[in-house]
mmCIF file of all heavy atoms in Angstrom:
data_model
loop_
_atom_site.group_PDB
_atom_site.id
_atom_site.type_symbol
_atom_site.label_atom_id
_atom_site.label_comp_id
_atom_site.label_asym_id
_atom_site.label_seq_id
_atom_site.Cartn_x
_atom_site.Cartn_y
_atom_site.Cartn_z
ATOM 1 N N LEU R 168 14.919 12.242 0.968
ATOM 2 C CA LEU R 168 14.740 13.377 0.216
ATOM 3 C C LEU R 168 15.229 13.113 -1.156
ATOM 4 O O LEU R 168 16.351 12.609 -1.462
ATOM 5 C CB LEU R 168 15.477 14.619 0.663
ATOM 6 C CG LEU R 168 15.314 14.979 2.117
ATOM 7 C CD1 LEU R 168 16.110 16.272 2.537
ATOM 8 C CD2 LEU R 168 13.834 15.349 2.379
ATOM 9 N N VAL R 169 14.375 13.427 -2.249
ATOM 10 C CA VAL R 169 14.711 13.259 -3.634
ATOM 11 C C VAL R 169 14.455 14.666 -4.191
ATOM 12 O O VAL R 169 13.371 15.090 -4.361
ATOM 13 C CB VAL R 169 13.915 12.276 -4.323
ATOM 14 C CG1 VAL R 169 14.283 12.114 -5.801
ATOM 15 C CG2 VAL R 169 13.987 10.785 -3.657
ATOM 16 N N LEU R 170 15.659 15.269 -4.588
ATOM 17 C CA LEU R 170 15.443 16.679 -5.064
ATOM 18 C C LEU R 170 16.539 17.034 -6.175
ATOM 19 O O LEU R 170 17.496 16.350 -6.285
ATOM 20 C CB LEU R 170 15.590 17.637 -3.858
ATOM 21 C CG LEU R 170 16.833 17.730 -3.036
ATOM 22 C CD1 LEU R 170 16.675 18.771 -1.938
ATOM 23 C CD2 LEU R 170 17.351 16.418 -2.399
ATOM 24 N N ASN R 171 16.212 18.080 -6.895
ATOM 25 C CA ASN R 171 17.133 18.453 -7.980
ATOM 26 C C ASN R 171 18.236 19.273 -7.460
ATOM 27 O O ASN R 171 18.297 19.693 -6.270
ATOM 28 C CB ASN R 171 16.377 18.998 -9.108
ATOM 29 C CG ASN R 171 15.836 20.351 -8.833
ATOM 30 O OD1 ASN R 171 16.329 21.180 -7.994
ATOM 31 N ND2 ASN R 171 14.671 20.689 -9.450
ATOM 32 N N HIS R 172 19.286 19.537 -8.222
ATOM 33 C CA HIS R 172 20.447 20.317 -7.930
ATOM 34 C C HIS R 172 20.129 21.614 -7.361
ATOM 35 O O HIS R 172 20.511 22.063 -6.149
ATOM 36 C CB HIS R 172 21.323 20.552 -9.203
ATOM 37 C CG HIS R 172 22.596 21.101 -8.956
ATOM 38 N ND1 HIS R 172 23.646 20.976 -9.825
ATOM 39 C CD2 HIS R 172 23.173 21.805 -7.864
ATOM 40 C CE1 HIS R 172 24.781 21.490 -9.371
ATOM 41 N NE2 HIS R 172 24.440 22.100 -8.210
ATOM 42 N N ARG R 173 19.233 22.322 -7.912
ATOM 43 C CA ARG R 173 18.851 23.807 -7.474
ATOM 44 C C ARG R 173 18.104 23.627 -6.169
ATOM 45 O O ARG R 173 18.482 24.452 -5.119
ATOM 46 C CB ARG R 173 17.964 24.471 -8.474
ATOM 47 C CG ARG R 173 17.447 25.854 -8.046
ATOM 48 C CD ARG R 173 16.463 26.395 -8.988
ATOM 49 N NE ARG R 173 15.270 25.557 -9.089
ATOM 50 C CZ ARG R 173 14.266 25.514 -8.233
ATOM 51 N NH1 ARG R 173 14.340 26.327 -7.230
ATOM 52 N NH2 ARG R 173 13.248 24.689 -8.280
ATOM 53 N N ALA R 175 18.402 21.221 -3.915
ATOM 54 C CA ALA R 175 19.425 20.912 -2.882
ATOM 55 C C ALA R 175 20.228 22.026 -2.415
ATOM 56 O O ALA R 175 20.404 22.216 -1.094
ATOM 57 C CB ALA R 175 20.419 19.747 -3.480
ATOM 58 N N LEU R 187 28.599 18.425 -4.460
ATOM 59 C CA LEU R 187 27.230 17.953 -4.084
ATOM 60 C C LEU R 187 27.234 16.825 -2.895
ATOM 61 O O LEU R 187 26.315 16.760 -2.218
ATOM 62 C CB LEU R 187 26.567 17.366 -5.329
ATOM 63 C CG LEU R 187 26.182 18.295 -6.375
ATOM 64 C CD1 LEU R 187 25.388 17.543 -7.582
ATOM 65 C CD2 LEU R 187 25.259 19.419 -5.852
ATOM 66 N N GLU R 188 28.371 16.356 -2.793
ATOM 67 C CA GLU R 188 28.405 15.364 -1.700
ATOM 68 C C GLU R 188 28.288 16.136 -0.292
ATOM 69 O O GLU R 188 27.605 15.692 0.693
ATOM 70 C CB GLU R 188 29.749 14.571 -1.665
ATOM 71 C CG GLU R 188 29.933 13.531 -0.419
ATOM 72 C CD GLU R 188 31.210 12.735 -0.655
ATOM 73 O OE1 GLU R 188 32.005 12.987 -1.492
ATOM 74 O OE2 GLU R 188 31.389 11.795 0.203
ATOM 75 N N VAL R 190 26.827 18.974 0.063
ATOM 76 C CA VAL R 190 25.430 19.453 0.018
ATOM 77 C C VAL R 190 24.529 18.337 0.582
ATOM 78 O O VAL R 190 23.624 18.499 1.464
ATOM 79 C CB VAL R 190 24.983 19.855 -1.283
ATOM 80 C CG1 VAL R 190 23.420 20.152 -1.286
ATOM 81 C CG2 VAL R 190 25.739 21.063 -1.732
ATOM 82 N N GLY R 191 24.783 17.029 0.052
ATOM 83 C CA GLY R 191 24.042 16.022 0.525
ATOM 84 C C GLY R 191 24.115 15.695 1.960
ATOM 85 O O GLY R 191 23.125 15.436 2.834
ATOM 86 N N LEU R 194 22.199 18.177 4.145
ATOM 87 C CA LEU R 194 20.809 17.915 4.175
ATOM 88 C C LEU R 194 20.429 16.729 4.983
ATOM 89 O O LEU R 194 19.417 16.702 5.581
ATOM 90 C CB LEU R 194 20.276 17.610 2.699
ATOM 91 C CG LEU R 194 20.251 18.825 1.741
ATOM 92 C CD1 LEU R 194 20.057 18.455 0.195
ATOM 93 C CD2 LEU R 194 19.066 19.698 2.220
ATOM 94 N N VAL R 203 19.606 10.986 0.998
ATOM 95 C CA VAL R 203 19.279 12.172 0.182
ATOM 96 C C VAL R 203 19.788 11.802 -1.197
ATOM 97 O O VAL R 203 20.859 11.243 -1.476
ATOM 98 C CB VAL R 203 20.229 13.439 0.731
ATOM 99 C CG1 VAL R 203 20.199 14.440 -0.380
ATOM 100 C CG2 VAL R 203 19.751 13.882 2.042
ATOM 101 N N VAL R 204 18.901 12.076 -2.111
ATOM 102 C CA VAL R 204 19.127 11.730 -3.647
ATOM 103 C C VAL R 204 19.133 13.099 -4.235
ATOM 104 O O VAL R 204 18.031 13.810 -4.302
ATOM 105 C CB VAL R 204 18.093 10.727 -4.225
ATOM 106 C CG1 VAL R 204 18.570 10.524 -5.718
ATOM 107 C CG2 VAL R 204 17.986 9.594 -3.365
ATOM 108 N N ILE R 205 20.276 13.525 -4.837
ATOM 109 C CA ILE R 205 20.287 14.785 -5.572
ATOM 110 C C ILE R 205 20.331 14.538 -7.129
ATOM 111 O O ILE R 205 21.418 13.822 -7.611
ATOM 112 C CB ILE R 205 21.509 15.619 -5.212
ATOM 113 C CG1 ILE R 205 21.431 15.888 -3.681
ATOM 114 C CG2 ILE R 205 21.492 16.986 -5.913
ATOM 115 C CD1 ILE R 205 22.771 16.572 -3.239
ATOM 116 N N LYS R 206 19.239 14.728 -7.862
ATOM 117 C CA LYS R 206 19.334 14.656 -9.408
ATOM 118 C C LYS R 206 19.986 15.794 -9.885
ATOM 119 O O LYS R 206 19.802 16.956 -9.625
ATOM 120 C CB LYS R 206 17.743 14.595 -9.754
ATOM 121 C CG LYS R 206 16.986 13.438 -9.121
ATOM 122 C CD LYS R 206 15.474 13.681 -9.524
ATOM 123 C CE LYS R 206 14.810 14.834 -8.836
ATOM 124 N NZ LYS R 206 13.415 15.006 -9.072
ATOM 125 N N ASN R 207 20.801 15.435 -10.919
ATOM 126 C CA ASN R 207 21.570 16.443 -11.650
ATOM 127 C C ASN R 207 21.521 16.313 -13.044
ATOM 128 O O ASN R 207 22.492 16.394 -13.923
ATOM 129 C CB ASN R 207 23.057 16.134 -11.086
ATOM 130 C CG ASN R 207 23.939 17.420 -11.361
ATOM 131 O OD1 ASN R 207 23.439 18.598 -11.517
ATOM 132 N ND2 ASN R 207 25.323 17.182 -11.329
ATOM 133 N N GLY R 211 23.298 12.533 -14.318
ATOM 134 C CA GLY R 211 22.999 11.487 -13.410
ATOM 135 C C GLY R 211 22.561 12.039 -11.959
ATOM 136 O O GLY R 211 21.778 13.097 -11.944
ATOM 137 N N ALA R 212 22.705 11.262 -11.031
ATOM 138 C CA ALA R 212 22.318 11.710 -9.621
ATOM 139 C C ALA R 212 23.287 11.236 -8.591
ATOM 140 O O ALA R 212 24.285 10.515 -8.923
ATOM 141 C CB ALA R 212 21.035 11.029 -9.340
ATOM 142 N N LEU R 213 23.116 11.670 -7.434
ATOM 143 C CA LEU R 213 24.057 11.319 -6.247
ATOM 144 C C LEU R 213 23.154 10.945 -5.092
ATOM 145 O O LEU R 213 22.209 11.554 -4.880
ATOM 146 C CB LEU R 213 24.866 12.682 -5.928
ATOM 147 C CG LEU R 213 26.118 12.488 -5.019
ATOM 148 C CD1 LEU R 213 27.230 11.956 -5.813
ATOM 149 C CD2 LEU R 213 26.502 13.856 -4.498
ATOM 150 N N VAL R 214 23.673 9.708 -4.630
ATOM 151 C CA VAL R 214 22.818 9.270 -3.273
ATOM 152 C C VAL R 214 23.863 9.299 -2.180
ATOM 153 O O VAL R 214 24.919 8.948 -2.204
ATOM 154 C CB VAL R 214 22.511 7.876 -3.636
ATOM 155 C CG1 VAL R 214 22.016 7.254 -2.294
ATOM 156 C CG2 VAL R 214 21.535 7.741 -4.729
ATOM 157 N N VAL R 215 23.364 9.921 -1.056
ATOM 158 C CA VAL R 215 24.115 10.128 0.147
ATOM 159 C C VAL R 215 23.338 9.474 1.203
ATOM 160 O O VAL R 215 22.216 9.962 1.480
ATOM 161 C CB VAL R 215 24.586 11.627 0.391
ATOM 162 C CG1 VAL R 215 25.436 11.645 1.614
ATOM 163 C CG2 VAL R 215 25.170 12.260 -0.669
#
Side-chain angles (χ1 to χ4, degrees):
L168 300 181
V169 181
L170 63 180
N171 64 33
H172 189 159
R173 180 186 59 81
L187 288 185
E188 182 176 3
V190 172
L194 286 168
V203 172
V204 183
I205 302 176
K206 299 171 292 185
N207 199 17
L213 193 76
V214 175
V215 183

